[in-house]
Amino acid sequence: LDCVAMDQFQRDFFLIRRSAYEPYIKALGPGLVQQGDLTDPYYFDFISFAQYETMNREISEDPPFVFEEQQPVDEGEDKPQKFVPVVIKRDPSLTNDRLAPEHSRMVGAAILDRLEEIFGSTDSAIPKIAIGSRPDGDTLASSVRQLVNLFLINGYAMSGSVATASAGSSGVSILISLNSPANLWGGTILQKEGAKLNNNFLLKAATELVIRSGYT
């Protein structure tokens, strides 16, 4: 989104990780968190929280449209890494108030595209819906249900369900329920903080699926 220098983001990310990690593992108990293992739900919960805590901090401080970023230059093997300043300019149409929704859209789209790449030609593929076709509630819920199933088989939650809450001429309402999702701790904190961005990856993907189907 080009709203903060990556070197600055990494420094802020490090400080937030460092300040939050010890209290987190002490609250859970020794040996439960497999540090660095993204397939471990406890570590995934923590690291995704730290990422989103950092992102919320960056987008909430009136980020500039033009800034300087230190980028690495390959000097070859056995040589110290060198960094050079590079001027970064954000798309002027991407105003600060649009950073959070655009981030969520991009993440949701990336997840859907990746799942299509992996499962699109298998029996586990998300049922296809024509772009902008505005399908009925049951059809849309079927696709969202398979999206949830793919999240579940990848360990995102213990279990989950999808139901059509309402459907009519004005639109469709889909209810997604998860049991012990992998973002439970971090997502709860971000919600309590009133964060503009949350680590609710399933919601981002489901929202993008619904939008592609023709609903807003």
Side-chain angles (χ1 to χ4, degrees):
L1 293 179
D2 292 333
C3 63
V4 63
M6 184 52 64
D7 50 305
Q8 180 64 52
F9 178 86
Q10 293 295 346
R11 284 194 294 270
D12 294 341
F13 183 35
F14 169 76
L15 293 173
I16 288 174
R17 291 200 319 270
R18 187 175 65 177
S19 65
Y21 189 65
E22 286 299 324
Y24 177 70
I25 60 175
K26 286 181 179 178
L28 287 174
L32 279 181
V33 182
Q34 303 299 313
Q35 187 173 4
D37 183 3
L38 290 175
T39 65
D40 170 30
Y42 292 117
Y43 181 73
F44 177 85
D45 197 354
F46 171 78
I47 203 66
S48 64
F49 159 76
Q51 287 176 328
Y52 273 79
E53 186 81 340
T54 308
M55 284 188 280
N56 279 293
R57 173 177 172 176
E58 308 297 4
I59 69 171
S60 299
E61 298 183 347
D62 194 22
F65 281 84
V66 182
F67 54 88
E68 191 175 89
E69 178 178 275
Q70 298 293 323
Q71 295 187 356
V73 176
D74 187 5
E75 293 284 293
E77 295 183 4
D78 302 323
K79 290 186 178 181
Q81 193 170 43
K82 181 180 178 181
F83 290 84
V84 297
V86 176
V87 174
I88 305 297
K89 296 182 180 180
R90 192 197 325 162
D91 181 349
S93 68
L94 189 56
T95 53
N96 288 346
D97 62 310
R98 292 186 55 212
L99 290 173
E102 180 62 12
H103 166 83
S104 294
R105 185 200 66 79
M106 292 172 64
V107 172
I111 293 172
L112 276 187
D113 293 343
R114 181 58 175 163
L115 291 176
E116 172 64 23
E117 179 183 338
I118 297 174
F119 300 103
S121 60
T122 72
D123 292 338
S124 298
I126 298 171
K128 295 186 183 302
I129 297 176
I131 299 295
S133 61
R134 293 177 63 88
D136 60 56
D138 290 340
T139 300
L140 182 58
S142 176
S143 292
V144 174
R145 187 172 294 109
Q146 185 55 24
L147 170 66
V148 171
N149 287 339
L150 294 180
F151 268 72
L152 293 178
I153 66 175
N154 281 281
Y156 189 74
M158 293 292 291
S159 60
S161 62
V162 175
T164 305
S166 63
S169 58
S170 60
V172 177
S173 179
I174 303 292
L175 177 64
I176 301 174
S177 299
L178 295 177
N179 180 29
S180 299
N183 65 335
L184 180 60
W185 173 81
T188 300
I189 293 177
L190 291 168
Q191 286 181 343
K192 289 181 178 180
E193 293 176 343
K196 295 180 180 179
L197 287 172
N198 202 300
N199 58 345
N200 47 7
F201 300 103
L202 175 56
L203 180 59
K204 288 175 170 55
T207 299
E208 178 64 15
L209 175 58
V210 170
I211 290 173
R212 291 182 182 185
S213 300
Y215 295 100
T216 57

